[in-house]
Amino acid sequence: MNVIIKENYQELSTYTANLIAKFIRSKPGCVLGLATGSTPIGTYKELVRMHKEEGLDFSQVKTFNLDEYLGVGIDLNKPYHLDQSYARFMYEELFKHINIKKENIYFLNGLTNDPEAHCRWYEEQIKKAGGIDLQLLGIGRDGHWAFNEPGSSLASRTRVQALTKQTLDDNYESFYKKAGIDRDEMPHFALTMGIGTILEAKNIVMIANGIKKAEVVAASLEGPVTNQITASAIQLHSGDITVVLDKEAASKLKNVGYYRHVENLKLKYNLL
Ligand code: PGA
């Protein structure tokens, strides 16, 4: 596991975007797993810049998003701040600015009338695409990956999940409040890739910033593997893992000295 600690959010975003860009350049037809939330916004901004200014090419890239609110669908007739779907988030923050093909973008459809069958279909599409090459992940304050709330099986697959109060509070503050949507009217369920699904990605990149994430970041990377912090499943992944943090999110880690030492060694030997 590579743990990279950056000075601030901007540096974290630039580093993460560079890592993804490098991956796309080495495998132009790669399959990316993508995340929503406030953390990846800077990374997407930087990827858009690279597309516009450096010709980063998404024409063969396929993407699968981690999750979507149940009962919510994209509506391009609404202004962005009134459309809370994760599909809209991705469209506004990344997809509409780059040359990705529409047919290469996969979402869980929050408006499905058969969630179980739809989740099975999603898993099949991931398999058909050859699996996810690189999965980008944030981490919730309750330790979730995607919407895998505490108590989720670490072998879980794509399914419907009820959201915790903490997640509802955080997402209300970040996204629903500005739309004037009542806290009680937020969707309380979501469709989400499972932890078992996520662990099958060949490479994992997890990002976190801010003091609010410090405790849960330390618990997930250095604490016990537990279904109470589903991101701790990162310790079970067998592929390449990179965790990119800002100083605040890294502030409760015990082994910072070692992580920095490894980063310096890898830089010296050109391994990063
Ligand atoms: P955030 O959410 O990026 O808005 O903090 C992270 C997550 O819930 O995975």
Side-chain angles (χ1 to χ4, degrees):
M1 177 161 66
N2 298 310
V3 180
I4 309 290
I5 302 165
K6 292 288 163 196
E7 274 305 300
N8 53 42
Y9 178 68
Q10 181 53 47
E11 282 188 22
L12 171 160
S13 302
T14 309
Y15 185 92
T16 308
N18 271 319
L19 202 148
I20 295 171
K22 196 169 157 193
F23 198 86
I24 294 172
R25 289 191 183 108
S26 70
K27 188 175 180 187
C30 65
V31 181
L32 299 179
L34 296 178
T36 49
S38 38
T39 318
I41 290 176
T43 301
Y44 294 150
K45 213 172 242 139
E46 184 59 16
L47 284 171
V48 169
R49 190 201 62 73
M50 286 179 182
H51 168 68
K52 294 199 163 138
E53 293 175 14
E54 298 166 15
L56 181 62
D57 180 17
F58 291 83
S59 63
Q60 296 176 63
V61 172
K62 277 193 181 145
T63 63
F64 286 86
N65 259 79
L66 284 169
D67 45 15
E68 180 60 278
Y69 292 111
L70 191 59
V72 175
I74 187 167
D75 182 354
L76 289 172
N77 292 319
K78 281 185 185 168
Y80 180 24
H81 75 285
L82 294 180
D83 182 347
Q84 302 303 320
S85 71
Y86 279 177
R88 181 64 176 271
F89 173 98
M90 290 307 303
Y91 175 73
E92 297 288 344
E93 303 295 338
L94 182 65
F95 295 147
K96 80 171 182 189
H97 308 287
I98 60 175
N99 65 333
I100 190 162
K101 292 195 181 102
K102 218 172 150 197
E103 62 270 27
N104 285 345
I105 299 172
Y106 291 82
F107 281 112
L108 283 157
N109 177 6
L111 296 179
T112 176
N113 47 28
D114 188 346
E116 269 184 38
H118 182 63
C119 290
R120 275 198 303 276
W121 171 84
Y122 203 62
E123 293 259 351
E124 278 159 24
Q125 299 316 302
I126 294 173
K127 273 204 188 91
K128 249 168 118 175
I132 290 172
D133 291 308
L134 186 152
Q135 177 68 58
L136 178 66
L137 291 154
I139 178 173
R141 277 206 294 159
D142 64 2
H144 67 208
W145 259 358
F147 276 133
N148 292 282
E149 303 289 41
S152 299
S153 160
L154 300 184
S156 52
R157 309 304 305 188
T158 304
R159 70 200 184 290
V160 175
Q161 172 75 52
L163 306 180
T164 61
K165 185 175 172 311
Q166 171 100 75
T167 298
L168 291 168
D169 287 347
D170 287 351
N171 290 1
Y172 176 71
E173 283 303 318
S174 299
F175 298 104
Y176 279 80
K177 200 170 166 180
K178 63 174 184 252
I181 293 171
D182 205 78
R183 165 77 172 65
D184 293 335
E185 279 167 25
M186 283 178 66
H188 284 51
F189 291 89
L191 300 167
T192 183
M193 275 191 210
I195 295 295
T197 320
I198 293 169
L199 287 176
E200 283 169 9
K202 294 167 195 111
N203 299 272
I204 283 184
V205 177
M206 180 171 113
I207 53 177
N209 71 296
I211 196 70
K212 286 199 289 196
K213 298 286 174 69
E215 213 152 292
V216 83
V217 163
S220 62
L221 302 189
E222 297 177 339
V225 174
T226 167
N227 70 354
Q228 296 307 299
I229 296 177
T230 57
S232 66
I234 198 165
Q235 299 174 41
L236 302 174
H237 190 254
S238 57
D240 230 36
I241 306 170
T242 307
V243 180
V244 192
L245 306 169
D246 73 348
K247 264 169 54 179
E248 290 186 348
S251 60
K252 297 232 159 97
L253 288 170
K254 289 194 207 93
N255 296 323
V256 169
Y258 179 64
Y259 303 140
R260 290 206 189 272
H261 171 65
V262 173
E263 185 185 354
N264 288 335
L265 276 179
K266 289 194 171 171
L267 282 172
K268 184 169 167 193
Y269 293 104
N270 222 1
L271 296 171
L272 272 180

